[in-house]
Amino acid sequence: MDVFFDSLPCYRRKPPNGGFFVLVGILTEEGDFVAILSGKAFGALPRSWRRWLAAEAVHLPGTRIGVGISGGGDSVALLRLLLPLQESGRCAITVIHVDHGWRPESASEADWVRALAEAHGLPFRSETLPTAREKSGTFTSEAAARAGRLAAFARIAREERLDAVALGHTADDQAETVLMRILRGTSLQGLAGIRPCSALVIDGVPLRLWRPLLGRTRSDLRALLKALGQRWLEDPSNDTPRFLRNRIRAELLPLLEQLRPGMVGRICDLAADLRAAATLIGKRARRAAKTATADGITPPGRTSGFLLREILRHWLLEQVGIAEPGRPMLARLAELVRSGRCGRSVVISGRTIARTHSGLAVLPPPARVPVPAELVLEPGRSVEAGEWMYDIEYNSSSDINDALWFDPGRFPGPIVLRTRRPGDRFRPAGGAGGKKLARWLIDRHIPRHQRDELLLIASGSDVLWIPGLGIAEGVAHHLRPGWLRLRRRRKSP
C-alpha cells in the first residue's frame, strides 16, 4: 500500500494484462477499506492531480453531475479529471455543450465535443442558443451570452435530473473576475469573486453550479492535457479586444505578473478571505433583515454604513423582490435612512421607497383613479372623489354622524375639494397658531407621496379639513349655532 494522500490510503494493484491501476479510499473505524476512486483513468493522472481529485471526491455536490464543455482547454481538462469519478461509480457524468452561434465553425466544435463524450461513453446534451449577434453584426455582450448559457444549463439540468453542473473556471478566471469588478466598481461580495459552489434560479428553474478548478491555473491544466495526450480547441473569441475580460487577460494580468510574480495566486487568496468575511457579515445582515417585511424595514440604530447597506441589500433581495441591487442603489437607500427626514423617497426598479418615522416603507403603486384638481362643494349637489362622496348643507340644524360643522365667517368660500397647493396654511383646532400646511404634514411624518395625494377641504388658501388627519380651528365635530354642515360618506356599492 502506498500512502501518499494526506488522510486517504492508496492501494496500487497490477491487473493480469499488465500496467496498474490505483484505488483510493477511506479506512473506517473498524479498519475496513472503502474505495472511493479506482481504475485506469485515475491511475493515468499525475500524482498531484490524483491527490487533488481524492480530496474533491469526498465533497461531491451530488451523484448526477453535468460537465459544461466548450471544447477549450479548461473544460476539457475538467472532464478528464472527473472521468475517474464516473469509472469508480462515484457519480454519473453528462457532457453539456452550449453553442452560442457566434462563429461559423461553432457547429463543428459541437460535433467535436460530442465525439469526445462518445469516446468516453458519456451521454451528451447540446443546445444552440438563438442568434447571438446584434443587428449591427457584432458579437453580443458577455453578460447576454452568460445569461443564455446559464438558462440552457438550467433547462438541461432539470430535464436530466442533474444535481449540479461542473464548470471549468480556473484561478486565472478568478483573478480576471476580481480585477474586472474592481474596474467596474464593486462591493465586498464582488471582491469575493467566483464562488466554488453557487445556487441560482434561472427563469424559475433551480441550478447548482460547481467549480472545482478555482485553485488551479490554466498553465496547470494545459500541462495536464499534454501529459494525457489530450487535444483541445482554441476559441478565437478569447482574443477579441472588444471584451473587457480579454483585455485584462492579455494586457493587465501579464503586466501585474511582470511587476510582481505570483499575482494570480495572491488575488485568489484575497478573494477567498473576502468570501469568508462576506459570509460572516451576510449572516448578521440576514438576521437583521428578517425583522423586515415586503412593506418596510426598520434598520437597527447605530449601524455602520457598510453593514447598513448589507442589511438593505438582503431586505431588497429576500423581501421586496428586487434582484441584484447595485452599490449606487444601496448608497441612496442608506443615505435616506441616515438623513432621518421623513417624506423623502427614491424610485428603485419601479418601486418607490420612502423614509418614514420608523424607517423605510415600500409605497403602493399610484391610485388608479386620478386625484381631482379642484371640485367646488355647493348645496344640493354631491361631489364624488374616489370611493367617497362629499356634500355641503347651508341650512342644516340636524346633528348626524360622519359630519363636520364649520364657521362660514372664518371660511367664506367657495369651499372646494382639492389636493394641496403652495401657500396653503393650516391652523389645527386647539392648536397654538397656524403654519404652512407642508410643514404641518412633515411634522406629522407624512411621507411625501401621501402628502401629494391627500384630498383636503379648503377655502382659498385656508385648509378646513384633512380627512383622516385633522380639522382646523373654526371646524367642529358637533353642531354649532350658525355653522354649516360638511359631510363625507362612502359611495354605495
Side-chain angles (χ1 to χ4, degrees):
M1 180 178 73
D2 275 329
V3 182
F4 50 77
F5 294 106
D6 293 339
S7 60
L8 298 173
C10 172
Y11 287 88
R12 183 189 298 252
R13 295 182 179 178
K14 188 171 184 178
N17 58 351
F20 69 90
F21 65 88
V22 179
L23 283 82
V24 171
I26 298 174
L27 286 174
T28 65
E29 293 181 356
E30 294 77 16
D32 298 325
F33 177 78
V34 179
I36 61 174
L37 287 170
S38 63
K40 293 183 179 180
F42 183 70
L45 295 178
R47 179 169 172 168
S48 64
W49 284 107
R50 293 202 298 268
R51 182 181 295 110
W52 172 88
L53 185 56
E56 291 294 330
V58 180
H59 306 289
L60 277 176
T63 58
R64 298 179 62 84
I65 306 295
V67 183
I69 307 293
S70 66
D74 300 341
S75 59
V76 172
L78 175 62
L79 178 63
R80 291 300 304 266
L81 285 167
L82 298 184
L83 281 177
L85 300 176
Q86 165 95 6
E87 192 175 66
S88 304
R90 294 285 296 165
C91 68
I93 291 176
T94 298
V95 173
I96 302 173
H97 177 77
V98 177
D99 181 2
H100 293 89
W102 282 1
R103 293 170 286 106
E105 63 270 23
S106 62
S108 62
E109 291 172 353
D111 293 337
W112 187 91
V113 176
R114 180 190 298 274
L116 177 67
E118 292 174 349
H120 295 285
L122 302 174
F124 175 75
R125 285 293 307 271
S126 177
E127 185 167 325
T128 301
L129 300 181
T131 177
R133 290 178 178 269
E134 301 169 335
K135 292 181 180 180
S136 61
T138 58
F139 291 134
T140 188
S141 68
E142 280 189 305
R146 179 178 181 273
R149 187 165 59 249
L150 290 178
F153 286 155
R155 288 190 293 270
I156 294 173
R158 178 182 58 184
E159 294 167 4
E160 299 294 331
R161 300 192 306 258
L162 302 177
D163 297 313
V165 174
L167 302 177
H169 292 124
T170 66
D172 301 81
D173 293 307
Q174 183 73 288
E176 293 163 7
T177 297
V178 172
L179 290 173
M180 183 168 60
R181 291 177 179 176
I182 290 174
L183 293 175
R184 288 176 172 172
T186 188
S187 63
L188 182 61
Q189 286 73 26
L191 291 176
I194 308 171
R195 297 184 178 274
C197 285
S198 55
L200 308 175
V201 177
I202 311 295
D203 297 330
V205 181
L207 173 64
R208 189 177 185 187
L209 299 177
W210 178 41
R211 305 175 179 92
L213 294 176
L214 285 177
R216 308 304 291 259
T217 65
R218 287 196 191 101
S219 59
D220 292 338
L221 298 179
R222 298 306 186 272
L224 169 67
L225 292 175
K226 291 177 181 177
L228 296 175
Q230 173 65 59
R231 293 178 53 245
W232 69 90
L233 304 176
E234 294 291 353
D235 185 352
S237 65
N238 289 333
D239 300 326
T240 304
R242 178 176 183 265
F243 297 137
L244 176 59
R245 179 181 293 274
N246 290 352
R247 295 198 63 186
I248 292 173
R249 179 181 304 166
E251 301 173 29
L252 182 55
L253 264 180
L255 176 60
L256 293 176
E257 284 289 336
Q258 180 182 352
L259 295 173
R260 190 78 173 178
M263 280 301 298
V264 168
R266 281 191 287 275
I267 293 174
C268 290
D269 291 341
L270 173 64
D273 290 344
L274 292 175
R275 195 158 51 245
T279 299
L280 292 175
I281 295 172
K283 289 180 180 178
R284 182 176 175 184
R286 284 190 183 92
R287 286 197 299 269
K290 280 184 178 179
T291 61
T293 67
D295 297 324
I297 183 172
T298 304
R302 297 181 180 179
T303 304
S304 67
F306 174 73
L307 182 57
L308 176 59
R309 291 195 299 272
E310 281 301 289
I311 293 171
L312 295 173
R313 188 173 73 88
H314 285 287
W315 172 59
L316 293 176
L317 282 170
E318 299 164 13
Q319 301 283 352
V320 184
I322 294 178
E324 299 183 5
R327 188 186 188 93
M329 178 192 304
L330 297 175
R332 292 173 66 192
L333 285 182
E335 178 58 30
L336 207 61
V337 172
R338 286 193 295 265
S339 70
R341 298 187 63 179
C342 297
R344 289 188 172 183
S345 63
V346 297
V347 178
I348 297 175
S349 299
R351 310 291 295 276
T352 302
I353 301 177
R355 182 66 164 90
T356 65
H357 181 60
S358 59
L360 298 179
V362 181
L363 307 183
R368 295 181 182 179
V369 179
V371 177
E374 180 176 304
L375 297 174
V376 178
L377 299 179
E378 297 176 336
R381 182 172 68 90
S382 296
V383 169
E384 176 182 335
E387 59 182 1
W388 297 96
M389 302 292 292
Y390 297 82
D391 56 63
I392 193 169
E393 180 58 61
Y394 285 99
N395 298 309
S396 175
S397 60
S398 60
D399 195 349
I400 62 175
N401 294 328
D402 300 324
L404 297 173
W405 277 258
F406 67 92
D407 182 0
R410 183 185 291 269
F411 306 106
I415 307 301
V416 298
L417 172 69
R418 60 173 173 80
T419 56
R420 66 184 183 125
R421 293 175 180 171
D424 281 347
R425 299 191 63 82
F426 182 61
R427 181 176 182 176
K435 61 173 65 175
K436 290 183 177 181
L437 175 63
R439 173 49 54 189
W440 187 86
L441 293 173
I442 290 173
D443 291 344
R444 280 85 223 105
H445 311 297
I446 308 301
R448 182 186 297 274
H449 82 290
Q450 291 184 3
R451 288 182 248 152
D452 293 336
E453 296 177 359
L454 282 174
L455 286 179
L456 51 86
I457 308 294
S459 172
S461 61
D462 293 322
V463 177
L464 289 74
W465 178 28
I466 310 171
L469 292 178
I471 59 175
E473 188 71 26
V475 180
H477 288 285
H478 301 286
L479 174 64
R480 299 282 183 89
W483 288 22
L484 306 177
R485 190 187 75 192
L486 178 65
R487 184 168 59 144
R488 181 179 76 154
R489 53 191 171 83
R490 204 175 288 275
K491 288 193 303 186
S492 300

